[in-house]
Amino acid sequence: MSMAKRIILLLLIVVSVVIPASAQMEKGMKSLGVKAGYATINRSGIAGLQFEYAFSRHFVLAPGIDYVFRNDNLDGMLFNLDYHGPWTIDKSGRLNVYHILGINYGSWSTHAMSSETADGNDDDVTTRYSHVGIDFGLGLSYFVKPTMKLTFEGKFNWLKHHNTGLFYLGVAYVF
């Protein structure tokens, strides 16, 4: 094992021992929110909806749906089923960091213009690729109020043909 991998492993062990494993999201709490951000695959915007349900203080299930806006003749729909493992990083419990692990179904459309049709319009030829993949990343949430939180997430969406980095800012209603 290389020295860099040993240092990263040691840091992960220290972080998991030092940071107390408690979170603002208590068992049974839910949140519903919107998010927007950036997708690296086509250097475009992304928008989505996310629901969260806390099965415990340490296990939050977060299904979501995202749309990657068309740029460079590529757009997509992403359906996510992610697990968040939150850790509180301040004494008030308002600021949390969480890791993200999950599965993803991505449907990507590649657009190509064919030759002009008889009526003089270009014909858009679309090829669709759909695959199941894996999500992993990190997130940060800040509870502005007990019923409102702000989030920042960065995750990697690993699919067969369309791997991409996704970066989000979001706001959610907590109930």
Side-chain angles (χ1 to χ4, degrees):
M1 185 183 287
S2 71
M3 182 57 90
K5 288 182 180 177
R6 288 180 184 168
I7 291 172
I8 291 171
L9 181 62
L10 179 63
L11 286 173
L12 288 173
I13 291 170
V14 168
V15 165
S16 66
V17 171
V18 173
I19 296 176
S22 62
Q24 183 72 20
M25 291 287 285
E26 296 293 331
K27 181 179 178 180
M29 288 182 76
K30 299 168 274 305
S31 72
L32 180 62
V34 294
K35 55 187 179 176
Y38 179 76
T40 61
I41 191 169
N42 64 347
R43 298 174 309 280
S44 177
I46 186 169
L49 296 172
Q50 184 166 316
F51 176 78
E52 294 179 351
Y53 182 82
F55 284 94
S56 73
R57 292 174 25 184
H58 313 292
F59 185 91
V60 178
L61 193 61
I65 184 171
D66 301 318
Y67 177 72
V68 179
F69 293 98
R70 186 173 172 179
N71 189 33
D72 291 338
N73 294 318
L74 182 67
D75 62 61
M77 286 292 291
L78 306 175
F79 301 91
N80 310 298
L81 182 59
D82 293 337
Y83 148 73
H84 297 172
W87 297 320
T88 300
I89 57 176
D90 71 337
K91 292 184 187 222
S92 68
R94 295 172 73 175
L95 186 61
N96 299 280
V97 65
Y98 53 91
H99 57 272
I100 302 167
L101 297 171
I103 58 173
N104 175 286
Y105 176 78
S107 182
W108 292 93
S109 298
T110 303
H111 304 272
M113 300 308 276
S114 68
S115 61
E116 277 190 17
T117 59
D119 60 1
N121 295 325
D122 286 333
D123 189 21
D124 183 8
V125 178
T126 303
T127 305
R128 183 169 300 280
Y129 298 96
S130 298
H131 296 286
V132 174
I134 298 171
D135 289 333
F136 56 92
L138 288 173
L140 186 68
S141 65
Y142 177 71
F143 285 80
V144 179
K145 298 180 184 179
T147 58
M148 180 182 159
K149 72 175 179 173
L150 302 175
T151 59
F152 172 75
E153 287 184 5
K155 66 181 179 179
F156 184 73
N157 180 243
W158 188 12
L159 293 169
K160 184 175 180 180
H161 293 292
H162 292 89
N163 296 330
T164 186
L166 304 168
F167 300 93
Y168 302 99
L169 290 174
V171 62
Y173 172 67
V174 180
F175 53 101

